[in-house]
Amino acid sequence: MATVIERIHLEIMRAVHIHGSLTAASGKLNLTQSALSHSILKLENQLGLQVWRREGRRLLPTQAGEYLLGLADRILPQFEQAEEQFEQYARGERGTLRIGIECHPCYQWLLKVAAPYLNAWPSVDLDVKQKFLFGGIGALFSYDIDLLVTPDPLFKKGLIFEPVFDYEQVLVVGPEHPLRSAAHIEPQQLSNEILITYPVDVERLDIFAHFLTPAGISPRRHKLIETTEIMLQMVTCSRGVAALPRWLVEESTKKFSVFPVRLGKSGVKKQLYLGIRETDADIDYVEAFLEQARKQRG
Amino acid sequence: MATVIERIHLEIMRAVHIHGSLTAASGKLNLTQSALSHSILKLENQLGLQVWRREGRRLLPTQAGEYLLGLADRILPQFEQAEEQFEQYARGERGTLRIGIECHPCYQWLLKVAAPYLNAWPSVDLDVKQKFLFGGIGALFSYDIDLLVTPDPLFKKGLIFEPVFDYEQVLVVGPEHPLRSAAHIEPQQLSNEILITYPVDVERLDIFAHFLTPAGISPRRHKLIETTEIMLQMVTCSRGVAALPRWLVEESTKKFSVFPVRLGKSGVKKQLYLGIRETDADIDYVEAFLEQARKQRG
DNA sequence: GTTTTTATATGAATTATTTTCATACAGGAG
DNA sequence: CTCCTGTATGAAAATAATTCATATAAAAAC
């Protein structure tokens, strides 16, 4: 078969899916309803099958339509990303490094590396993404991001992962807290505490995954807070305890009266990794980011 | 920016890359050299940058050109796969289940499952792929395959892996071989043998990865053979020993005089997994394949 | 239940785009 | 230097996409 599916068809499928009707979609695409109708009808003719089941005036995707929608979701972002990239090239900029992060400490760490990197590479933009339909690895494979910061590396063909940061996850308590100067704590000592965490799945929280859950302990209450600052504020006021990287706690002692306590006798030790696609390994500004990360490390 | 990059541009970039010149590419695309030239020139105007550096009459991709080539490699196969899929839909067929395999036992196992599945689903085609630029997981993520058979599952968001087959990797020896009726063998007993394997990386061969290498032993010689039949033939004639799944050896005793011997006291135990994309989990013929695999298992 | 509104489909006319044709121009081989 | 072979280019031709005007029908409103 010749080439029949064009970008415009995917654009139409997606726009109709999002906006609910050909008419609504036509506005967004700066075309008339008639143009879209003709375009899809032609496609249906060429394919020899329907893309929508016309039920009254609703357009319900058929199996083929669903397939096209999936194709649109995979492909259109890549066209768009490419066009943005070219706009940047044309302006003399190098491009955008799209960074994906999969945990909160990842974000904290990234903030520290980003500043010196942006100074060194004024022609490169950074874009940070946190939500991935198929996880960070999937985002890397499908070119949604160029670089992944994660605690879970994957050593597979086509990807390169490198450790960039070691840290210890510690409990943070306020100045009034009885555990304030304990050498370390055991899981059961948290069973009567209010534990404050970021609002993510419990399995993804280190204090649960590597400390409480293995011991079969739950805290008295589990409170969810979005931002680190508010979290530390609440800990300072004895409204609960939290778990954060030690370096972050130590940096915060200027602003908040908070104290780190080791989790378990040997502590909860974590590593962050940086992952890229093998094919990107020799792009200068990608390489430079890894270099910057290594420098920060040592 | 409006939508400027179209499928045809990617087709041209790829064809020129493959065939070396606009003129050569034009033949393959059933267009004239002039058409391609106009098309790319228009694109370059809209993007505001060159896609090729014109050096004499050679067209050398610029950075932007390289980017487009990468885009073409990722995107065009998806368009093509979609069109094939639609052709099948139009013929009343359900589609093609593209299966990736990452090891030789995977292939042997697949052969056993494929026959009953194809009978049960006459409207579905199977396509088996063995070579992946970015490994099986990458192929799954980038829609090169729909289903992966592998000994290395990856439990990540967006993917579903399920164990489908347990087997023991054993040594195969011929009728004259002194180890023929040994209860099991130790690594050093192979140091004077000719070991026959498939021609793949040593790290991917179970007998090396899980038996010889940990003990620091190498066989006297290492011979590479492509096909299982020839391999068994050579073993029968005392031309060497091989390592294969026990079930495969047992099935082969009718045709070849070969004998399985356990590797180490507790044997080398392996599992095969089937992996799919989460989004495909409720496609009936995909589900049916998993069901078939489970049935085979029990 | 009738009317009004709002959606898609369709044919013809128009506009825009792509493609070809003819040819200019230039690099590389001999 | 000349011939061969590649790309670029402008104008003409062919094709394709888009609009406009309108038909048709399903919801919604009354």
Side-chain angles (χ1 to χ4, degrees):
Chain A
M1 187 188 285
T3 74
V4 292
I5 306 172
E6 294 294 335
R7 179 175 177 180
I8 185 66
H9 300 126
L10 302 181
E11 301 274 6
I12 295 173
M13 293 304 296
R14 182 176 66 172
V16 168
H17 180 68
I18 293 172
H19 300 108
S21 75
L22 268 188
T23 309
S26 67
K28 303 286 171 181
L29 296 176
N30 293 316
L31 288 168
T32 60
Q33 173 270 134
S34 177
L36 306 202
S37 180
H38 279 298
S39 181
I40 292 294
L41 256 33
K42 183 182 168 193
L43 176 69
E44 289 185 326
N45 268 332
Q46 293 189 77
L47 293 179
L49 37 81
Q50 303 253 118
V51 149
W52 291 306
R53 212 174 60 245
R54 276 81 168 169
E55 206 151 87
R57 52 202 214 191
R58 283 253 82 74
L59 302 175
L60 305 168
T62 60
Q63 184 185 23
E66 293 288 355
Y67 192 107
L68 279 181
L69 279 174
L71 196 64
D73 284 341
R74 299 201 294 281
I75 284 182
L76 293 181
Q78 298 200 49
F79 274 108
E80 286 150 15
Q81 157 66 17
E83 281 162 353
E84 279 169 40
Q85 186 83 32
F86 287 136
E87 269 188 272
Q88 289 192 305
Y89 285 167
R91 287 200 300 271
E93 296 169 20
R94 298 305 312 280
T96 298
L97 192 57
R98 295 165 302 163
I99 303 175
I101 56 176
E102 282 196 309
C103 66
H104 273 272
C106 297
Y107 186 67
Q108 317 287 359
W109 172 83
L110 182 59
L111 287 178
K112 293 160 67 87
V113 183
Y117 179 76
L118 286 171
N119 281 333
W121 290 81
S123 62
V124 175
D125 280 348
L126 293 188
D127 187 3
V128 179
K129 306 197 176 188
Q130 301 206 49
K131 297 262 165 260
F132 315 111
L133 192 51
F134 295 124
I137 301 285
L140 211 45
F141 271 125
S142 57
Y143 283 76
D144 282 336
I145 57 173
D146 305 308
L147 202 143
L148 178 65
V149 191
T150 178
D152 305 311
L154 174 67
F155 300 101
K156 282 268 176 189
K157 200 159 89 182
L159 297 182
I160 297 175
F161 274 87
E162 186 174 320
V164 287
F165 191 58
D166 305 280
Y167 67 93
E168 181 186 355
Q169 191 78 352
V170 296
L171 192 75
V172 204
V173 302
E176 328 266 81
H177 201 281
L179 292 172
R180 166 177 162 174
S181 46
H184 74 270
I185 64 151
E186 294 298 330
Q188 53 273 21
Q189 292 179 274
L190 286 185
S191 61
N192 223 14
E193 296 285 342
I194 297 173
L195 179 62
I196 305 171
T197 72
Y198 299 109
V200 299
D201 289 349
V202 162
E203 311 92 78
R204 290 187 47 212
L205 292 164
D206 293 322
I207 190 166
F208 280 95
H210 300 298
F211 190 64
L212 294 174
T213 310
I217 303 283
S218 295
R220 180 156 63 90
R221 261 190 72 199
H222 183 188
K223 256 192 178 158
L224 305 177
I225 301 277
E226 285 271 355
T227 64
T228 312
E229 299 262 303
I230 303 294
M231 201 181 272
L232 287 168
Q233 190 65 66
M234 308 237 339
V235 168
T236 307
C237 306
S238 303
R239 301 284 287 272
V241 298
L244 290 172
R246 182 183 288 277
W247 61 268
L248 185 59
V249 180
E250 280 164 1
E251 276 184 5
S252 308
T253 50
K254 297 154 211 154
K255 287 181 71 179
F256 301 97
S257 177
V258 289
F259 302 86
V261 186
R262 172 160 286 185
L263 292 166
K265 201 173 291 174
S266 49
V268 171
K269 303 292 174 56
K270 298 288 294 177
Q271 275 192 302
L272 295 189
Y273 293 79
L274 229 50
I276 58 168
R277 287 179 296 272
E278 209 169 61
T279 48
D280 287 356
D282 48 5
I283 296 175
D284 54 3
Y285 61 87
V286 172
E287 213 168 1
F289 192 94
L290 289 170
E291 195 44 57
Q292 181 70 45
R294 289 187 200 108
K295 213 184 294 170
Q296 208 91 352
R297 169 173 208 163
Chain B
M1 187 188 284
T3 72
V4 293
I5 306 171
E6 294 294 337
R7 179 173 176 180
I8 186 67
H9 300 127
L10 302 181
E11 301 273 7
I12 295 173
M13 292 304 296
R14 182 176 65 172
V16 168
H17 180 70
I18 294 172
H19 301 108
S21 74
L22 269 188
T23 308
S26 67
K28 302 288 171 179
L29 296 176
N30 293 314
L31 289 167
T32 61
Q33 174 271 134
S34 176
L36 306 200
S37 181
H38 279 299
S39 180
I40 292 294
L41 256 33
K42 183 183 167 191
L43 176 69
E44 290 184 324
N45 269 332
Q46 294 190 83
L47 292 180
L49 35 82
Q50 303 253 115
V51 147
W52 290 307
R53 213 175 57 247
R54 277 81 169 170
E55 206 152 88
R57 52 202 210 189
R58 283 254 81 73
L59 302 176
L60 305 168
T62 60
Q63 185 184 22
E66 293 289 355
Y67 192 106
L68 279 181
L69 279 173
L71 196 65
D73 284 341
R74 299 202 293 282
I75 284 182
L76 293 180
Q78 298 202 49
F79 274 108
E80 287 151 13
Q81 157 66 15
E83 282 162 351
E84 278 168 41
Q85 186 83 31
F86 287 136
E87 269 188 271
Q88 289 192 304
Y89 284 167
R91 286 200 302 270
E93 296 169 21
R94 299 305 313 280
T96 298
L97 192 57
R98 295 165 301 163
I99 303 175
I101 56 177
E102 284 195 309
C103 65
H104 273 273
C106 298
Y107 186 67
Q108 316 289 358
W109 172 84
L110 182 60
L111 286 177
K112 291 162 66 88
V113 184
Y117 178 77
L118 285 171
N119 280 332
W121 290 81
S123 63
V124 174
D125 280 349
L126 293 188
D127 188 3
V128 178
K129 305 195 176 191
Q130 301 204 49
K131 296 262 166 260
F132 316 112
L133 192 50
F134 295 125
I137 301 286
L140 211 45
F141 271 125
S142 58
Y143 282 76
D144 282 337
I145 56 172
D146 305 308
L147 203 142
L148 178 65
V149 190
T150 178
D152 304 311
L154 174 66
F155 300 100
K156 281 270 176 190
K157 199 159 89 181
L159 297 182
I160 297 175
F161 274 87
E162 186 174 321
V164 288
F165 191 59
D166 306 281
Y167 67 93
E168 182 187 353
Q169 192 77 351
V170 295
L171 191 75
V172 203
V173 301
E176 329 264 82
H177 202 281
L179 291 172
R180 165 178 162 171
S181 47
H184 73 270
I185 65 149
E186 294 299 330
Q188 54 273 19
Q189 293 180 273
L190 286 184
S191 61
N192 222 15
E193 296 285 340
I194 298 173
L195 179 62
I196 305 171
T197 72
Y198 299 110
V200 299
D201 289 348
V202 162
E203 311 94 76
R204 290 186 47 212
L205 291 165
D206 294 322
I207 190 165
F208 280 95
H210 301 297
F211 189 66
L212 293 174
T213 310
I217 303 284
S218 294
R220 179 156 65 90
R221 261 190 72 200
H222 182 188
K223 255 193 179 157
L224 304 177
I225 302 277
E226 285 270 356
T227 63
T228 312
E229 301 261 304
I230 303 295
M231 200 181 273
L232 287 168
Q233 191 64 66
M234 308 236 341
V235 169
T236 306
C237 306
S238 304
R239 301 285 288 272
V241 298
L244 290 172
R246 182 182 289 277
W247 62 268
L248 185 61
V249 179
E250 281 164 359
E251 276 184 5
S252 308
T253 51
K254 296 152 209 155
K255 287 182 70 179
F256 300 98
S257 179
V258 289
F259 302 85
V261 186
R262 172 159 288 186
L263 292 166
K265 201 172 293 174
S266 49
V268 171
K269 303 290 174 59
K270 297 289 293 178
Q271 275 192 300
L272 295 189
Y273 292 79
L274 229 50
I276 58 168
R277 288 179 297 272
E278 209 169 62
T279 48
D280 287 357
D282 48 4
I283 297 175
D284 54 2
Y285 61 87
V286 173
E287 212 168 0
F289 192 94
L290 289 171
E291 195 44 56
Q292 182 69 46
R294 290 188 201 109
K295 212 183 294 170
Q296 208 91 351
R297 168 172 209 165

